[in-house]
Amino acid sequence: MDHNHEEKIEDSEIKSWKSKLIWSWIFTVPIAFIMLLERIFDLSIVEMPYQSILILILAFPVVFIFGWPTIKAGIRGLVTFYFNMDSLISLGTVIAYLTGLIAFTGVIQDYSGVAAMIMAFFTTGKFVEAQARGRSSQEIRKLLELGAKTARIVKGNKEYDIPITEVQVGDILLIKPGEKIPTDGVVIKGESSVDESMVTGESLPVEKAKGMNVIGATINQDGILYVKTTKVGKDTFLAHIIELVEEAQGTKIPIQKLADKITSIFVPVILILSALTFIGWAIVTGDISRSLGVGIAVLVIACPCALGLATPTALMVSSGMGAKRGILIRKGEAIQTMKEVKIVVFDKTGTITKGKPEVTDINTIKGIKEKELLNISASLEKLSEHPIARAIVNKAALKSYRKVTGFKVLRGRGVEGKIGKSIVIIGNQTLMKERKIKLEKINKSIEDFEEDGKTTMIVTMNKKVLGVIAVADSVKEDSKEAIRKLNSYGYRTVMITGDNERTAKAIANQVGIKEVIANVLPENKAKKVEELQISGMVAFIGDGINDAPALKQSNVGIAMGTGTDIAIESGDIVLVNGSLIGVVQAINLSKATFKKIKQNLFWAFAYNVIAIPLAVAGVLHPVVAEIAMALSSITVVSNANLLKKKKID
């Protein structure tokens, strides 16, 4: 995004339209008063033709100054044959204004005052729309407004209060109880609980200690924290959230593209209909002035403003609702696609589970001590970034590690390296089969561990088994509830994991997933998703780098906000707090939003279907037509905002 996230774009737009509205009516009210006296009471303020000149003068700024952006956009559309909703309004108002000049010949009636009224009503409608857009993104802007304005940095033994804009990466910040955390960072000293509800939607505070990350604008609760700044300004987590939501609000979903296509066809059809209406009335009545008024009414009433607003307003409200609950819609089309999803596919580690495994059991063969097994394993695993590797290293808690050479990560299977002259391999059964290592001595232990849903890492040296380490990753508290709801809604829930089938099924049984695809290598996840897509649209939920291809392959990729940046960038929807309840909320939000879009499109078309025949029949005066058109836009905007009252939890 090339604008400052802290700049309130909606406010500037609202102010602009409000200014145009006020000035338009300042000039239009006298015109309406003059026309009212003349048409109803047959009175004139000044003699003709001076009255017509006065109306032309008053109408000019309304049409060609305050309404100039609309006129310019409409003319551009007519010249380039890329018709839009402004084409009809601009043509209608310009033609109506020109009648005021031609009226001096005595051939037609003066509609220049009508031109000012049409543009004044149109401007009023635009102001209402701008206000609605501003309200729909309030939740996003509130996040920025709640950010800290100053920060307390520590240098040596002294503390300094500085503006938040002067904070740099690497600064040490001191945050006292009750204060806002100024920016993203990592705790280097102290313990406290932090209220992250404004970002994650989670009501309970999160415990923070040394080494843990904190997010800017969240609130420190009861302890003193020393935080080293890791991100500032536009790089912060909060700024990234705003950017993602803004992107979603600017995208067009398939039904919006369809509405745009309809508009591009609808406008020229109306132009032709308006011309035919004018010609038809002129032939039948011989009254050029009356015929022109009817033709202008057709142009004005047919303006598809409501059609153009139907989808964007609902999408903007939806994005705001999602952001409030920690659901970031990165791509607008996901809202439409989500309601068509039949299969919901989950990665296991970090998605269904917490992603923080711990060593639960160690079983060694005769002659090998547990301490020795951990020493060998941790020396190798220290060189890996995998969560299971970290669990083994944490369990060993060694002060010094053995020297390892030739270290290799065998993706989805394990690790390999040399300690001295011995080749050490640590991995799953798939890796052991590849290397033709026999497991008879520990098969029973492996089976028992895996029956309990634990992941087993077999440790070997020179193709001889030393023992097995069992690691377990606990299920997130709300995973079971989320999957229960999805099952009750009739979705087909599937787990895809690189873990063995026993471990995967044990976890699946805990949360209620009936279908498991296990032993899947990272590069094959996307292929498995593609195979599932034969049966219906697929939503894939994952958190790791290895999930990125599957997130892209799926019809809707849902990334856990607690996962890697690559996974988040690959997702169409991001769940900030990493809770699977967000999947249920996203589905419900999608259905509610699309229902609202369809309602909006119905109202947009209904107004035109009813009003255009009335305009062609000469029943609607151009000003009445403009009021009806403005009401259709207001109806659509108001209906979109009713989405906020919908329960999606």
Side-chain angles (χ1 to χ4, degrees):
M1 307 296 290
D2 56 3
H3 63 263
N4 187 340
H5 295 301
E6 295 183 12
E7 183 184 350
K8 298 177 184 178
I9 295 169
E10 296 85 0
D11 280 357
S12 63
E13 186 183 9
I14 291 168
K15 285 177 182 177
S16 174
W17 281 112
K18 186 177 181 180
S19 175
K20 289 173 186 174
L21 179 151
I22 292 169
W23 281 106
S24 292
W25 283 109
I26 286 173
F27 284 92
T28 302
V29 168
I31 293 172
F33 182 69
I34 292 168
M35 291 175 67
L36 191 69
L37 287 176
E38 182 188 1
R39 303 285 168 85
I40 298 177
F41 301 105
D42 198 23
L43 295 172
S44 297
I45 292 179
V46 292
E47 293 181 6
M48 297 297 288
Y50 301 111
Q51 182 168 294
S52 295
I53 294 171
L54 178 61
I55 290 174
L56 280 169
I57 292 170
L58 290 170
F60 182 85
V62 179
V63 177
F64 295 104
I65 296 178
F66 312 127
W68 178 243
T70 303
I71 299 293
K72 186 169 69 173
I75 292 171
R76 189 188 301 120
L78 291 168
V79 171
T80 60
F81 293 98
Y82 185 77
F83 302 106
N84 55 43
M85 60 189 70
D86 292 330
S87 303
L88 302 180
I89 288 297
S90 60
L91 197 59
T93 51
V94 169
I95 290 173
Y97 185 84
L98 292 177
T99 61
L101 300 173
I102 302 170
F104 288 109
T105 64
V107 176
I108 58 174
Q109 187 178 342
D110 181 1
Y111 282 101
S112 58
V114 171
M117 286 191 226
I118 290 171
M119 190 57 77
F121 277 114
F122 182 77
T123 304
T124 303
K126 284 290 186 181
F127 170 67
V128 173
E129 293 164 20
Q131 276 192 316
R133 281 196 294 271
R135 284 194 299 269
S136 72
S137 56
Q138 273 181 353
E139 298 301 338
I140 305 162
R141 286 167 45 195
K142 280 178 186 175
L143 295 177
L144 292 175
E145 291 167 2
L146 289 172
K149 302 297 184 289
T150 61
R152 186 181 296 107
I153 65 168
V154 178
K155 289 187 177 179
N157 295 322
K158 293 186 178 181
E159 300 172 9
Y160 303 91
D161 286 339
I162 62 171
I164 190 67
T165 52
E166 294 180 16
V167 175
Q168 298 179 355
V169 173
D171 282 346
I172 306 301
L173 308 179
L174 169 62
I175 303 104
K176 295 179 180 179
E179 292 182 342
K180 292 172 186 173
I181 295 172
T183 189
D184 296 4
V186 61
V187 177
I188 59 169
K189 183 181 176 184
E191 293 182 358
S192 183
S193 56
V194 175
D195 179 1
E196 295 184 341
S197 59
M198 60 175 291
V199 175
T200 65
E202 179 59 51
S203 57
L204 294 175
V206 180
E207 297 300 319
K208 299 290 181 181
K210 185 178 179 180
M212 299 183 76
N213 294 323
V214 291
I215 300 170
T218 55
I219 301 171
N220 184 26
Q221 298 279 71
D222 49 23
I224 294 176
L225 292 176
Y226 288 83
V227 173
K228 185 175 183 179
T229 303
T230 55
K231 292 178 182 177
V232 295
K234 293 181 180 180
D235 296 325
T236 62
F237 181 79
L238 208 54
H240 189 52
I241 286 177
I242 303 302
E243 187 172 337
L244 293 180
V245 177
E246 285 176 342
E247 283 176 6
Q249 291 185 338
T251 59
K252 289 187 177 181
I253 67 176
I255 197 167
Q256 171 65 18
K257 291 175 182 176
L258 176 62
D260 290 346
K261 190 174 181 180
I262 291 170
T263 301
S264 68
I265 298 168
F266 179 75
V267 172
V269 168
I270 291 300
L271 290 174
I272 294 168
L273 179 62
S274 179
L276 291 175
T277 301
F278 167 72
I279 294 167
W281 271 78
I283 292 171
V284 173
T285 66
D287 186 343
I288 299 296
S289 181
R290 173 67 172 146
S291 303
L292 193 59
V294 174
I296 291 170
V298 173
L299 281 176
V300 172
I301 192 61
C303 177
C305 298
L307 183 62
L309 288 168
T311 301
T313 49
L315 187 58
M316 291 183 80
V317 173
S318 176
S319 298
M321 287 177 67
K324 187 178 180 181
R325 291 165 174 79
I327 303 166
L328 304 183
I329 304 161
R330 293 192 67 238
K331 295 179 182 175
E333 56 263 34
I335 281 289
Q336 182 168 344
T337 309
M338 194 71 181
K339 72 178 187 64
E340 303 292 343
V341 165
K342 303 296 180 189
I343 306 165
V344 183
V345 181
F346 300 90
D347 168 50
K348 180 178 76 70
T349 306
T351 302
I352 294 173
T353 64
K354 292 179 179 177
K356 294 180 180 178
E358 295 177 348
V359 173
T360 58
D361 303 272
I362 299 171
N363 196 341
T364 61
I365 63 164
K366 193 174 180 180
I368 302 293
K369 293 182 179 179
E370 183 177 302
K371 188 176 180 180
E372 185 183 355
L373 184 74
L374 277 173
N375 191 298
I376 293 168
S377 304
S379 296
L380 238 72
E381 297 288 13
K382 188 177 185 297
L383 302 174
S384 171
E385 291 298 319
H386 196 281
I388 290 176
R390 287 198 291 271
I392 293 171
V393 172
N394 290 339
K395 179 68 176 177
L398 301 178
K399 291 183 179 179
S400 60
Y401 298 87
R402 299 188 188 187
K403 185 179 179 181
V404 176
T405 58
F407 177 78
K408 291 180 187 176
V409 173
L410 307 170
R411 292 185 68 197
R413 291 161 293 168
V415 294
E416 178 182 13
K418 274 188 175 184
I419 294 178
K421 293 183 179 179
S422 300
I423 298 172
V424 179
I425 297 172
I426 305 172
N428 55 24
Q429 291 189 72
T430 303
L431 180 58
M432 299 303 130
K433 286 176 185 176
E434 283 181 10
R435 299 302 174 89
K436 296 183 172 56
I437 297 173
K438 295 178 181 179
L439 305 175
E440 290 91 348
K441 293 181 181 179
I442 54 165
N443 259 336
K444 183 66 171 64
S445 295
I446 293 171
E447 286 178 11
D448 289 344
F449 292 149
E450 291 182 353
E451 285 291 345
D452 292 335
K454 297 171 183 177
T455 299
T456 53
M457 300 303 291
I458 301 146
V459 184
T460 70
M461 181 178 281
N462 297 327
K463 292 201 171 186
K464 290 183 179 179
V465 174
L466 303 181
V468 60
I469 300 173
V471 177
D473 181 12
S474 57
V475 170
K476 291 177 183 176
E477 289 79 2
D478 53 9
S479 291
K480 187 174 181 179
E481 176 62 15
I483 292 163
R484 183 193 66 77
K485 286 186 176 181
L486 291 173
N487 287 333
S488 69
Y489 293 163
Y491 290 95
R492 177 182 167 193
T493 52
V494 182
M495 179 199 290
I496 292 182
T497 178
D499 263 349
N500 63 79
E501 196 162 347
R502 277 203 192 97
T503 304
K505 281 188 174 178
I507 296 293
N509 288 335
Q510 283 186 52
V511 296
I513 293 177
K514 296 180 178 62
E515 193 171 341
V516 174
I517 304 174
N519 296 309
V520 179
L521 294 175
E523 56 268 28
N524 290 334
K525 279 188 178 181
K527 188 177 179 182
K528 292 295 179 184
V529 169
E530 189 176 2
E531 290 171 4
L532 287 168
Q533 284 173 316
I534 296 169
S535 304
M537 285 199 176
V538 172
F540 180 85
I541 301 100
D543 75 316
I545 292 172
N546 61 340
D547 295 322
L551 286 164
K552 282 290 186 186
Q553 173 63 43
S554 61
N555 300 98
V556 180
I558 302 177
M560 309 303 275
T562 50
T564 63
D565 288 343
I566 292 175
I568 290 170
E569 289 299 326
S570 300
D572 303 310
I573 294 173
V574 179
L575 306 180
V576 175
N577 58 10
S579 167
L580 289 184
I581 289 294
V583 177
V584 178
Q585 292 175 331
I587 288 172
N588 291 337
L589 181 61
S590 168
K591 289 179 177 178
T593 303
F594 201 73
K595 185 178 179 181
K596 196 59 67 178
I597 289 170
K598 288 197 290 185
Q599 289 174 1
N600 281 351
L601 290 173
F602 167 78
W603 284 112
F605 281 115
Y607 270 95
N608 283 332
V609 168
I610 294 167
I612 290 174
L614 293 175
V616 172
V619 175
L620 292 181
H621 187 276
V623 171
V624 177
E626 171 56 29
I627 293 171
M629 187 276 290
L631 284 173
S632 70
S633 296
I634 292 167
T635 300
V636 162
V637 170
S638 301
N639 188 48
N641 276 284
L642 288 175
L643 183 62
K644 291 180 181 178
K645 296 183 179 180
K646 186 75 177 176
K647 290 185 178 180
I648 62 168
D649 300 319

